[in-house]
Amino acid sequence: MAIQVNLDLMLVRRKTSSRELAAAIGLSETNLSLIKSGKIKGVRFSTLNAICAYLECQPGDILTFEPD
């Protein structure tokens, strides 16, 4: 997959756990885990907005393009 998810890295940088993020944005820990692993076909802009707002980052900090 050419799109890489760097959510784990942002969580470490912000010293926040997945559990805290999931609770803060109203997402189940299971769904957040799927996003972190990249095992999804898409993500809603509202979810991405909530993640970025909580972590005080840009979408490009979480999602990057890596050519195959």
Side-chain angles (χ1 to χ4, degrees):
M1 178 189 285
I3 301 294
Q4 300 295 315
V5 180
N6 302 312
L7 186 53
D8 278 334
L9 181 61
M10 286 308 300
L11 289 171
V12 169
R13 287 183 181 167
R14 299 298 191 251
K15 297 181 175 119
T16 300
S17 70
S18 295
R19 179 172 289 183
E20 290 172 332
L21 176 59
I25 66 172
L27 196 64
S28 72
E29 289 181 54
T30 303
N31 285 338
L32 185 61
S33 178
L34 289 171
I35 293 170
K36 284 176 24 181
S37 68
K39 295 182 178 180
I40 57 171
K41 292 185 184 244
V43 61
R44 292 178 186 255
F45 282 139
S46 59
T47 301
L48 186 58
N49 184 56
I51 291 170
C52 289
Y54 184 80
L55 295 177
E56 297 177 351
C57 67
Q58 296 294 314
D61 297 328
I62 297 170
L63 302 173
T64 57
F65 175 75
E66 301 288 333
D68 289 335

Short mmCIF file of all heavy atoms in Angstrom, two decimals:
data_model
loop_
_atom_site.label_atom_id
_atom_site.label_comp_id
_atom_site.label_asym_id
_atom_site.label_seq_id
_atom_site.Cartn_x
_atom_site.Cartn_y
_atom_site.Cartn_z
N MET A 1 0.84 -1.17 0.00
CA MET A 1 0.00 0.00 0.00
C MET A 1 0.89 1.24 0.00
O MET A 1 1.86 1.33 0.73
CB MET A 1 -0.92 -0.01 1.22
CG MET A 1 -1.78 1.20 1.29
SD MET A 1 -2.69 1.38 2.83
CE MET A 1 -3.95 0.17 2.62
N ALA A 2 0.55 2.22 -0.78
CA ALA A 2 1.36 3.42 -0.92
C ALA A 2 1.09 4.45 0.18
O ALA A 2 1.94 5.26 0.47
CB ALA A 2 1.13 4.05 -2.28
N ILE A 3 -0.07 4.41 0.80
CA ILE A 3 -0.37 5.33 1.89
C ILE A 3 0.04 4.68 3.21
O ILE A 3 -0.39 3.57 3.52
CB ILE A 3 -1.87 5.69 1.93
CG1 ILE A 3 -2.32 6.33 0.63
CG2 ILE A 3 -2.18 6.58 3.13
CD1 ILE A 3 -1.70 7.68 0.35
N GLN A 4 0.88 5.37 3.96
CA GLN A 4 1.35 4.88 5.25
C GLN A 4 0.65 5.65 6.37
O GLN A 4 0.50 6.88 6.28
CB GLN A 4 2.86 5.05 5.38
CG GLN A 4 3.66 4.32 4.33
CD GLN A 4 3.50 2.82 4.44
OE1 GLN A 4 3.56 2.25 5.53
NE2 GLN A 4 3.28 2.18 3.32
N VAL A 5 0.26 4.95 7.42
CA VAL A 5 -0.39 5.57 8.57
C VAL A 5 0.64 5.67 9.69
O VAL A 5 1.17 4.66 10.13
CB VAL A 5 -1.62 4.76 9.02
CG1 VAL A 5 -2.28 5.43 10.21
CG2 VAL A 5 -2.61 4.60 7.88
N ASN A 6 0.91 6.89 10.13
CA ASN A 6 1.90 7.14 11.17
C ASN A 6 1.26 7.59 12.48
O ASN A 6 1.83 8.39 13.22
CB ASN A 6 2.88 8.22 10.69
CG ASN A 6 3.58 7.82 9.41
OD1 ASN A 6 4.09 6.72 9.30
ND2 ASN A 6 3.58 8.71 8.44
N LEU A 7 0.10 7.06 12.76
CA LEU A 7 -0.63 7.47 13.96
C LEU A 7 0.11 7.07 15.22
O LEU A 7 0.14 7.83 16.20
CB LEU A 7 -2.05 6.89 13.94
CG LEU A 7 -2.99 7.34 15.04
CD1 LEU A 7 -3.07 8.85 15.14
CD2 LEU A 7 -4.37 6.76 14.81
N ASP A 8 0.74 5.91 15.24
CA ASP A 8 1.51 5.47 16.41
C ASP A 8 2.60 6.49 16.74
O ASP A 8 2.80 6.82 17.91
CB ASP A 8 2.16 4.11 16.16
CG ASP A 8 1.20 2.96 16.40
OD1 ASP A 8 0.25 3.13 17.17
OD2 ASP A 8 1.43 1.89 15.82
N LEU A 9 3.27 6.97 15.73
CA LEU A 9 4.33 7.94 15.92
C LEU A 9 3.79 9.24 16.54
O LEU A 9 4.38 9.80 17.46
CB LEU A 9 5.03 8.24 14.59
CG LEU A 9 6.17 9.23 14.61
CD1 LEU A 9 7.29 8.74 15.52
CD2 LEU A 9 6.70 9.44 13.21
N MET A 10 2.65 9.69 16.06
CA MET A 10 2.05 10.91 16.61
C MET A 10 1.59 10.71 18.05
O MET A 10 1.71 11.62 18.87
CB MET A 10 0.88 11.37 15.75
CG MET A 10 1.28 12.00 14.44
SD MET A 10 2.50 13.33 14.60
CE MET A 10 1.63 14.48 15.63
N LEU A 11 1.10 9.52 18.36
CA LEU A 11 0.70 9.24 19.74
C LEU A 11 1.89 9.31 20.67
O LEU A 11 1.81 9.85 21.78
CB LEU A 11 0.01 7.88 19.83
CG LEU A 11 -1.38 7.79 19.22
CD1 LEU A 11 -1.86 6.35 19.17
CD2 LEU A 11 -2.37 8.65 19.99
N VAL A 12 3.02 8.76 20.24
CA VAL A 12 4.25 8.81 21.06
C VAL A 12 4.71 10.26 21.22
O VAL A 12 5.06 10.68 22.33
CB VAL A 12 5.36 7.94 20.43
CG1 VAL A 12 6.70 8.18 21.10
CG2 VAL A 12 4.99 6.47 20.49
N ARG A 13 4.71 11.00 20.13
CA ARG A 13 5.14 12.41 20.19
C ARG A 13 4.28 13.23 21.13
O ARG A 13 4.75 14.13 21.80
CB ARG A 13 5.11 13.04 18.81
CG ARG A 13 6.21 12.58 17.91
CD ARG A 13 6.15 13.29 16.59
NE ARG A 13 7.22 12.82 15.71
CZ ARG A 13 7.28 13.07 14.43
NH1 ARG A 13 6.34 13.80 13.85
NH2 ARG A 13 8.28 12.62 13.70
N ARG A 14 2.99 12.93 21.18
CA ARG A 14 2.07 13.69 22.03
C ARG A 14 1.90 13.05 23.41
O ARG A 14 1.12 13.54 24.22
CB ARG A 14 0.69 13.81 21.36
CG ARG A 14 0.71 14.54 20.03
CD ARG A 14 1.18 15.97 20.18
NE ARG A 14 0.96 16.73 18.97
CZ ARG A 14 1.93 17.15 18.15
NH1 ARG A 14 3.19 16.86 18.43
NH2 ARG A 14 1.65 17.84 17.07
N LYS A 15 2.60 11.95 23.65
CA LYS A 15 2.55 11.24 24.94
C LYS A 15 1.10 10.91 25.33
O LYS A 15 0.64 11.19 26.43
CB LYS A 15 3.23 12.06 26.03
CG LYS A 15 4.70 12.28 25.76
CD LYS A 15 5.36 13.06 26.84
CE LYS A 15 6.83 13.13 26.54
NZ LYS A 15 7.36 14.44 26.35
N THR A 16 0.41 10.34 24.36
CA THR A 16 -1.00 9.96 24.51
C THR A 16 -1.17 8.49 24.14
O THR A 16 -0.49 8.00 23.26
CB THR A 16 -1.88 10.82 23.59
OG1 THR A 16 -1.72 12.19 23.95
CG2 THR A 16 -3.34 10.47 23.69
N SER A 17 -2.08 7.82 24.80
CA SER A 17 -2.34 6.41 24.48
C SER A 17 -3.48 6.30 23.48
O SER A 17 -4.28 7.23 23.32
CB SER A 17 -2.69 5.63 25.74
OG SER A 17 -3.97 6.02 26.22
N SER A 18 -3.55 5.17 22.84
CA SER A 18 -4.65 4.89 21.92
C SER A 18 -5.98 4.95 22.64
O SER A 18 -6.97 5.46 22.11
CB SER A 18 -4.48 3.51 21.29
OG SER A 18 -3.36 3.46 20.49
N ARG A 19 -5.99 4.44 23.86
CA ARG A 19 -7.22 4.42 24.65
C ARG A 19 -7.71 5.85 24.92
O ARG A 19 -8.90 6.14 24.80
CB ARG A 19 -6.97 3.69 25.96
CG ARG A 19 -8.17 3.63 26.88
CD ARG A 19 -7.92 2.74 28.03
NE ARG A 19 -7.92 1.38 27.50
CZ ARG A 19 -7.78 0.30 28.22
NH1 ARG A 19 -7.62 0.39 29.51
NH2 ARG A 19 -7.79 -0.89 27.67
N GLU A 20 -6.79 6.75 25.29
CA GLU A 20 -7.16 8.14 25.55
C GLU A 20 -7.70 8.81 24.29
O GLU A 20 -8.71 9.53 24.34
CB GLU A 20 -5.96 8.93 26.06
CG GLU A 20 -5.52 8.54 27.46
CD GLU A 20 -4.21 9.19 27.85
OE1 GLU A 20 -3.38 9.50 26.97
OE2 GLU A 20 -4.02 9.38 29.07
N LEU A 21 -7.02 8.59 23.16
CA LEU A 21 -7.46 9.17 21.91
C LEU A 21 -8.84 8.66 21.51
O LEU A 21 -9.73 9.44 21.16
CB LEU A 21 -6.45 8.89 20.79
CG LEU A 21 -6.84 9.36 19.39
CD1 LEU A 21 -7.07 10.87 19.36
CD2 LEU A 21 -5.80 8.94 18.38
N ALA A 22 -9.03 7.36 21.59
CA ALA A 22 -10.32 6.76 21.22
C ALA A 22 -11.45 7.34 22.06
O ALA A 22 -12.51 7.71 21.53
CB ALA A 22 -10.25 5.24 21.35
N ALA A 23 -11.23 7.44 23.36
CA ALA A 23 -12.26 7.97 24.26
C ALA A 23 -12.54 9.44 23.95
O ALA A 23 -13.70 9.88 23.95
CB ALA A 23 -11.83 7.80 25.71
N ALA A 24 -11.50 10.21 23.67
CA ALA A 24 -11.65 11.65 23.44
C ALA A 24 -12.41 11.95 22.16
O ALA A 24 -13.14 12.94 22.09
CB ALA A 24 -10.28 12.31 23.40
N ILE A 25 -12.24 11.12 21.14
CA ILE A 25 -12.89 11.42 19.85
C ILE A 25 -14.15 10.58 19.61
O ILE A 25 -14.78 10.72 18.57
CB ILE A 25 -11.91 11.26 18.67
CG1 ILE A 25 -11.47 9.81 18.49
CG2 ILE A 25 -10.72 12.18 18.84
CD1 ILE A 25 -10.66 9.57 17.23
N GLY A 26 -14.49 9.71 20.55
CA GLY A 26 -15.72 8.93 20.42
C GLY A 26 -15.62 7.79 19.43
O GLY A 26 -16.59 7.48 18.74
N LEU A 27 -14.46 7.17 19.36
CA LEU A 27 -14.22 6.05 18.45
C LEU A 27 -13.88 4.82 19.27
O LEU A 27 -13.23 4.95 20.32
CB LEU A 27 -13.04 6.41 17.53
CG LEU A 27 -12.83 5.60 16.27
CD1 LEU A 27 -14.01 5.77 15.31
CD2 LEU A 27 -11.56 6.03 15.57
N SER A 28 -14.30 3.66 18.84
CA SER A 28 -13.95 2.46 19.59
C SER A 28 -12.46 2.18 19.45
O SER A 28 -11.83 2.54 18.45
CB SER A 28 -14.76 1.25 19.09
OG SER A 28 -14.29 0.84 17.83
N GLU A 29 -11.89 1.54 20.45
CA GLU A 29 -10.47 1.19 20.41
C GLU A 29 -10.19 0.23 19.25
O GLU A 29 -9.13 0.30 18.64
CB GLU A 29 -10.04 0.57 21.73
CG GLU A 29 -9.98 1.56 22.85
CD GLU A 29 -9.52 0.95 24.15
OE1 GLU A 29 -8.44 0.32 24.16
OE2 GLU A 29 -10.26 1.09 25.15
N THR A 30 -11.15 -0.61 18.92
CA THR A 30 -11.00 -1.55 17.81
C THR A 30 -10.87 -0.80 16.49
O THR A 30 -9.99 -1.08 15.69
CB THR A 30 -12.19 -2.52 17.75
OG1 THR A 30 -12.29 -3.21 18.99
CG2 THR A 30 -12.04 -3.51 16.62
N ASN A 31 -11.76 0.16 16.27
CA ASN A 31 -11.71 0.94 15.02
C ASN A 31 -10.44 1.78 14.94
O ASN A 31 -9.84 1.91 13.88
CB ASN A 31 -12.95 1.81 14.86
CG ASN A 31 -14.15 1.00 14.48
OD1 ASN A 31 -14.04 -0.09 13.95
ND2 ASN A 31 -15.32 1.53 14.76
N LEU A 32 -10.01 2.35 16.06
CA LEU A 32 -8.77 3.12 16.07
C LEU A 32 -7.58 2.21 15.76
O LEU A 32 -6.68 2.59 15.02
CB LEU A 32 -8.57 3.81 17.41
CG LEU A 32 -7.36 4.73 17.49
CD1 LEU A 32 -7.46 5.86 16.46
CD2 LEU A 32 -7.19 5.30 18.88
N SER A 33 -7.60 1.00 16.28
CA SER A 33 -6.54 0.03 16.01
C SER A 33 -6.48 -0.31 14.52
O SER A 33 -5.40 -0.43 13.94
CB SER A 33 -6.76 -1.23 16.84
OG SER A 33 -5.78 -2.19 16.55
N LEU A 34 -7.64 -0.44 13.89
CA LEU A 34 -7.68 -0.72 12.45
C LEU A 34 -7.09 0.44 11.65
O LEU A 34 -6.36 0.23 10.68
CB LEU A 34 -9.11 -1.00 12.00
CG LEU A 34 -9.70 -2.33 12.46
CD1 LEU A 34 -11.19 -2.39 12.13
CD2 LEU A 34 -8.97 -3.49 11.84
N ILE A 35 -7.38 1.66 12.08
CA ILE A 35 -6.81 2.83 11.41
C ILE A 35 -5.30 2.82 11.58
O ILE A 35 -4.55 3.01 10.61
CB ILE A 35 -7.42 4.14 11.95
CG1 ILE A 35 -8.90 4.23 11.58
CG2 ILE A 35 -6.65 5.35 11.43
CD1 ILE A 35 -9.64 5.36 12.27
N LYS A 36 -4.83 2.60 12.80
CA LYS A 36 -3.39 2.60 13.07
C LYS A 36 -2.65 1.56 12.26
O LYS A 36 -1.53 1.79 11.81
CB LYS A 36 -3.14 2.36 14.56
CG LYS A 36 -3.42 3.54 15.43
CD LYS A 36 -3.26 3.28 16.92
CE LYS A 36 -2.35 2.16 17.30
NZ LYS A 36 -2.25 1.95 18.73
N SER A 37 -3.27 0.41 12.06
CA SER A 37 -2.61 -0.67 11.33
C SER A 37 -2.68 -0.48 9.82
O SER A 37 -1.99 -1.18 9.07
CB SER A 37 -3.23 -2.02 11.70
OG SER A 37 -4.56 -2.10 11.22
N GLY A 38 -3.51 0.44 9.36
CA GLY A 38 -3.66 0.67 7.92
C GLY A 38 -4.55 -0.36 7.25
O GLY A 38 -4.59 -0.43 6.02
N LYS A 39 -5.29 -1.13 8.03
CA LYS A 39 -6.16 -2.17 7.48
C LYS A 39 -7.55 -1.64 7.18
O LYS A 39 -8.55 -2.29 7.43
CB LYS A 39 -6.24 -3.34 8.45
CG LYS A 39 -4.93 -4.04 8.64
CD LYS A 39 -5.05 -5.23 9.56
CE LYS A 39 -3.70 -5.91 9.68
NZ LYS A 39 -3.74 -7.06 10.55
N ILE A 40 -7.60 -0.45 6.62
CA ILE A 40 -8.86 0.16 6.24
C ILE A 40 -8.76 0.64 4.80
O ILE A 40 -7.67 0.83 4.28
CB ILE A 40 -9.21 1.35 7.17
CG1 ILE A 40 -8.09 2.39 7.14
CG2 ILE A 40 -9.50 0.89 8.58
CD1 ILE A 40 -8.43 3.68 7.85
N LYS A 41 -9.89 0.79 4.18
CA LYS A 41 -9.91 1.28 2.81
C LYS A 41 -10.13 2.79 2.76
O LYS A 41 -9.89 3.42 1.74
CB LYS A 41 -11.00 0.58 2.01
CG LYS A 41 -10.68 -0.88 1.80
CD LYS A 41 -11.70 -1.52 0.91
CE LYS A 41 -11.42 -3.00 0.80
NZ LYS A 41 -11.08 -3.42 -0.51
N GLY A 42 -10.58 3.37 3.85
CA GLY A 42 -10.83 4.80 3.89
C GLY A 42 -11.06 5.26 5.31
O GLY A 42 -11.25 4.45 6.21
N VAL A 43 -11.02 6.56 5.47
CA VAL A 43 -11.29 7.16 6.78
C VAL A 43 -12.14 8.40 6.54
O VAL A 43 -11.91 9.15 5.58
CB VAL A 43 -9.98 7.49 7.54
CG1 VAL A 43 -9.13 8.49 6.80
CG2 VAL A 43 -10.25 7.96 8.95
N ARG A 44 -13.14 8.59 7.35
CA ARG A 44 -14.01 9.76 7.21
C ARG A 44 -13.24 11.02 7.58
O ARG A 44 -12.40 11.02 8.48
CB ARG A 44 -15.22 9.63 8.14
CG ARG A 44 -16.17 8.55 7.74
CD ARG A 44 -17.31 8.48 8.77
NE ARG A 44 -18.15 7.36 8.48
CZ ARG A 44 -19.36 7.46 7.92
NH1 ARG A 44 -19.86 8.65 7.64
NH2 ARG A 44 -20.06 6.39 7.68
N PHE A 45 -13.53 12.09 6.85
CA PHE A 45 -12.89 13.36 7.17
C PHE A 45 -13.21 13.80 8.59
O PHE A 45 -12.38 14.40 9.26
CB PHE A 45 -13.30 14.45 6.18
CG PHE A 45 -12.59 14.36 4.86
CD1 PHE A 45 -13.27 14.57 3.69
CD2 PHE A 45 -11.24 14.07 4.79
CE1 PHE A 45 -12.62 14.51 2.47
CE2 PHE A 45 -10.57 14.00 3.58
CZ PHE A 45 -11.28 14.22 2.41
N SER A 46 -14.41 13.50 9.06
CA SER A 46 -14.78 13.89 10.42
C SER A 46 -13.90 13.16 11.45
O SER A 46 -13.52 13.75 12.47
CB SER A 46 -16.25 13.62 10.69
OG SER A 46 -16.56 12.25 10.52
N THR A 47 -13.57 11.91 11.18
CA THR A 47 -12.69 11.15 12.07
C THR A 47 -11.28 11.71 12.01
O THR A 47 -10.64 11.91 13.05
CB THR A 47 -12.69 9.65 11.69
OG1 THR A 47 -14.02 9.15 11.77
CG2 THR A 47 -11.80 8.85 12.62
N LEU A 48 -10.79 11.96 10.81
CA LEU A 48 -9.46 12.53 10.65
C LEU A 48 -9.39 13.91 11.30
O LEU A 48 -8.40 14.25 11.97
CB LEU A 48 -9.12 12.62 9.16
CG LEU A 48 -7.70 13.05 8.81
CD1 LEU A 48 -6.66 12.12 9.43
CD2 LEU A 48 -7.54 13.09 7.30
N ASN A 49 -10.43 14.69 11.16
CA ASN A 49 -10.50 16.01 11.79
C ASN A 49 -10.41 15.89 13.31
O ASN A 49 -9.68 16.64 13.96
CB ASN A 49 -11.79 16.72 11.38
CG ASN A 49 -11.88 18.12 11.93
OD1 ASN A 49 -11.00 18.92 11.69
ND2 ASN A 49 -12.94 18.40 12.66
N ALA A 50 -11.15 14.95 13.88
CA ALA A 50 -11.15 14.77 15.33
C ALA A 50 -9.77 14.31 15.83
O ALA A 50 -9.29 14.79 16.86
CB ALA A 50 -12.21 13.74 15.74
N ILE A 51 -9.14 13.41 15.10
CA ILE A 51 -7.80 12.94 15.47
C ILE A 51 -6.81 14.11 15.44
O ILE A 51 -6.04 14.32 16.39
CB ILE A 51 -7.33 11.81 14.55
CG1 ILE A 51 -8.16 10.54 14.80
CG2 ILE A 51 -5.84 11.51 14.76
CD1 ILE A 51 -7.94 9.44 13.77
N CYS A 52 -6.83 14.87 14.36
CA CYS A 52 -5.91 16.00 14.21
C CYS A 52 -6.16 17.07 15.26
O CYS A 52 -5.21 17.66 15.80
CB CYS A 52 -5.99 16.58 12.82
SG CYS A 52 -5.29 15.50 11.55
N ALA A 53 -7.41 17.34 15.56
CA ALA A 53 -7.74 18.34 16.58
C ALA A 53 -7.21 17.91 17.95
O ALA A 53 -6.61 18.71 18.67
CB ALA A 53 -9.25 18.58 16.64
N TYR A 54 -7.41 16.65 18.29
CA TYR A 54 -6.96 16.16 19.60
C TYR A 54 -5.44 16.13 19.70
O TYR A 54 -4.88 16.51 20.73
CB TYR A 54 -7.55 14.77 19.87
CG TYR A 54 -7.21 14.27 21.25
CD1 TYR A 54 -7.93 14.70 22.36
CD2 TYR A 54 -6.16 13.38 21.46
CE1 TYR A 54 -7.62 14.26 23.63
CE2 TYR A 54 -5.83 12.93 22.73
CZ TYR A 54 -6.57 13.38 23.81
OH TYR A 54 -6.24 12.94 25.07
N LEU A 55 -4.78 15.68 18.63
CA LEU A 55 -3.32 15.56 18.66
C LEU A 55 -2.61 16.85 18.25
O LEU A 55 -1.38 16.92 18.28
CB LEU A 55 -2.88 14.42 17.73
CG LEU A 55 -3.32 13.02 18.14
CD1 LEU A 55 -2.87 12.01 17.10
CD2 LEU A 55 -2.78 12.65 19.52
N GLU A 56 -3.40 17.86 17.86
CA GLU A 56 -2.85 19.14 17.43
C GLU A 56 -1.80 18.94 16.34
O GLU A 56 -0.63 19.31 16.48
CB GLU A 56 -2.27 19.92 18.61
CG GLU A 56 -3.30 20.28 19.64
CD GLU A 56 -2.72 21.00 20.85
OE1 GLU A 56 -1.49 21.08 20.98
OE2 GLU A 56 -3.52 21.47 21.66
N CYS A 57 -2.24 18.31 15.25
CA CYS A 57 -1.35 18.01 14.13
C CYS A 57 -2.09 18.21 12.82
O CYS A 57 -3.28 18.52 12.81
CB CYS A 57 -0.80 16.59 14.25
SG CYS A 57 -2.05 15.30 14.04
N GLN A 58 -1.40 18.01 11.73
CA GLN A 58 -1.96 18.10 10.39
C GLN A 58 -2.19 16.69 9.85
O GLN A 58 -1.50 15.74 10.27
CB GLN A 58 -1.00 18.85 9.46
CG GLN A 58 -0.78 20.29 9.85
CD GLN A 58 -2.05 21.10 9.71
OE1 GLN A 58 -2.76 21.01 8.70
NE2 GLN A 58 -2.36 21.91 10.72
N PRO A 59 -3.12 16.51 8.90
CA PRO A 59 -3.33 15.19 8.31
C PRO A 59 -2.04 14.59 7.73
O PRO A 59 -1.82 13.38 7.81
CB PRO A 59 -4.37 15.44 7.21
CG PRO A 59 -5.13 16.62 7.69
CD PRO A 59 -4.10 17.48 8.39
N GLY A 60 -1.17 15.44 7.19
CA GLY A 60 0.10 14.97 6.64
C GLY A 60 1.05 14.43 7.68
O GLY A 60 2.02 13.72 7.35
N ASP A 61 0.81 14.74 8.96
CA ASP A 61 1.61 14.16 10.04
C ASP A 61 1.21 12.71 10.31
O ASP A 61 1.99 11.93 10.83
CB ASP A 61 1.45 14.96 11.33
CG ASP A 61 1.96 16.38 11.21
OD1 ASP A 61 2.93 16.60 10.46
OD2 ASP A 61 1.39 17.27 11.87
N ILE A 62 -0.02 12.38 9.93
CA ILE A 62 -0.56 11.05 10.19
C ILE A 62 -0.51 10.17 8.95
O ILE A 62 -0.20 8.98 9.03
CB ILE A 62 -2.02 11.15 10.69
CG1 ILE A 62 -2.05 11.90 12.02
CG2 ILE A 62 -2.66 9.78 10.83
CD1 ILE A 62 -3.44 12.26 12.48
N LEU A 63 -0.81 10.73 7.80
CA LEU A 63 -0.85 9.98 6.54
C LEU A 63 0.26 10.46 5.61
O LEU A 63 0.38 11.66 5.36
CB LEU A 63 -2.20 10.17 5.85
CG LEU A 63 -3.44 9.77 6.65
CD1 LEU A 63 -4.69 10.19 5.92
CD2 LEU A 63 -3.43 8.30 6.94
N THR A 64 1.05 9.54 5.10
CA THR A 64 2.10 9.89 4.15
C THR A 64 2.02 8.96 2.95
O THR A 64 1.50 7.86 3.04
CB THR A 64 3.50 9.78 4.77
OG1 THR A 64 3.70 8.45 5.27
CG2 THR A 64 3.70 10.77 5.90
N PHE A 65 2.54 9.44 1.82
CA PHE A 65 2.55 8.65 0.59
C PHE A 65 3.95 8.11 0.38
O PHE A 65 4.93 8.86 0.34
CB PHE A 65 2.13 9.51 -0.59
CG PHE A 65 2.23 8.79 -1.91
CD1 PHE A 65 1.30 7.83 -2.26
CD2 PHE A 65 3.27 9.05 -2.79
CE1 PHE A 65 1.39 7.15 -3.47
CE2 PHE A 65 3.37 8.40 -3.99
CZ PHE A 65 2.43 7.43 -4.33
N GLU A 66 4.05 6.80 0.28
CA GLU A 66 5.31 6.11 0.00
C GLU A 66 5.13 5.29 -1.27
O GLU A 66 4.38 4.32 -1.26
CB GLU A 66 5.70 5.18 1.16
CG GLU A 66 5.87 5.87 2.49
CD GLU A 66 7.11 6.72 2.57
OE1 GLU A 66 8.09 6.42 1.85
OE2 GLU A 66 7.09 7.71 3.32
N PRO A 67 5.78 5.67 -2.37
CA PRO A 67 5.62 4.89 -3.60
C PRO A 67 6.03 3.43 -3.40
O PRO A 67 6.97 3.16 -2.65
CB PRO A 67 6.55 5.59 -4.59
CG PRO A 67 6.87 6.91 -3.99
CD PRO A 67 6.69 6.78 -2.52
N ASP A 68 5.34 2.54 -4.08
CA ASP A 68 5.64 1.10 -3.97
C ASP A 68 6.96 0.78 -4.62
O ASP A 68 7.42 1.34 -5.53
CB ASP A 68 4.54 0.26 -4.61
CG ASP A 68 3.28 0.29 -3.76
OD1 ASP A 68 3.38 0.52 -2.54
OD2 ASP A 68 2.19 0.09 -4.32
#
